[in-house]
Amino acid sequence: IVLKVPQGTLVVSEQPIDPETQVSIPPEEADPGWFVIKDRPALAGTDITNPEQNFDPSTNAPNVTFEFTDKGREEFQNVTEEIARRGQANYLGTGPTDQFSGHFAIVLDNVSVSRPIIDFGENPTGIDGRGGAQISGISVEEGQNLAKLLRIGALPINLKLISQSEVSATLGQQ
């Protein structure tokens, strides 16, 4: 089935997660889920610097840490603040805030590689990226993969002309 999406919209896939192991289910075992998102990312891979798999100093749990360029820090603050305010507006006033908190998507080649939560209970005005940011609640392997994907997404791509040829109009007539 081919569906037309409006301009400015992007459809991305994401492999489902096994609830017991918290690991992505291989494509041969489960169909991907699909998300419709805005086609204008708040941050580009070049706005993120130094992505690394680390461990939270207070809990020793695995995480991915990264820093931002000046532009990236400001954009990260803005988008996480918007997500936090949306969560606050949907909150019913009782129960855990994480159930009403919003996500942002990290997308590489039209595949969602991570959808971290911005918990407005912990970050009511978003996340100030001056000290960097971290993604937690992942395994060491997931952290290593995510850090690698974030580094790949930040790589500058230079296209180099390898060969060039001209075709005359007479060739097309033959």
Side-chain angles (χ1 to χ4, degrees), residues 8-109:
T9 304
L10 185 64
V11 179
V12 298
S13 68
E14 178 180 79
Q15 279 305 118
I17 304 290
D18 182 317
E20 291 180 20
T21 63
Q22 294 297 310
V23 175
S24 294
I25 300 172
E28 58 273 4
E29 294 179 24
D31 290 333
W34 299 94
F35 295 93
V36 178
I37 60 175
K38 292 180 182 176
D39 192 18
R40 284 200 184 142
L43 281 94
T46 54
D47 296 323
I48 295 172
T49 62
N50 305 322
E52 295 179 335
Q53 187 275 310
N54 281 307
F55 294 91
D56 187 299
S58 60
T59 64
N60 205 33
N63 65 13
V64 173
T65 59
F66 48 95
E67 297 168 358
F68 302 98
T69 62
D70 289 341
K71 176 182 171 280
R73 183 202 56 76
E74 184 177 334
E75 290 300 323
F76 187 74
Q77 166 67 46
N78 292 342
V79 74
T80 57
E81 181 178 13
E82 182 182 328
I83 293 168
R85 293 201 191 283
R86 199 173 358 179
Q88 290 169 346
N90 293 328
Y91 186 53
L92 301 175
T94 59
T97 56
D98 63 344
Q99 294 175 353
F100 295 91
S101 294
H103 298 262
F104 68 90
I106 299 173
V107 176
L108 183 64
D109 295 336

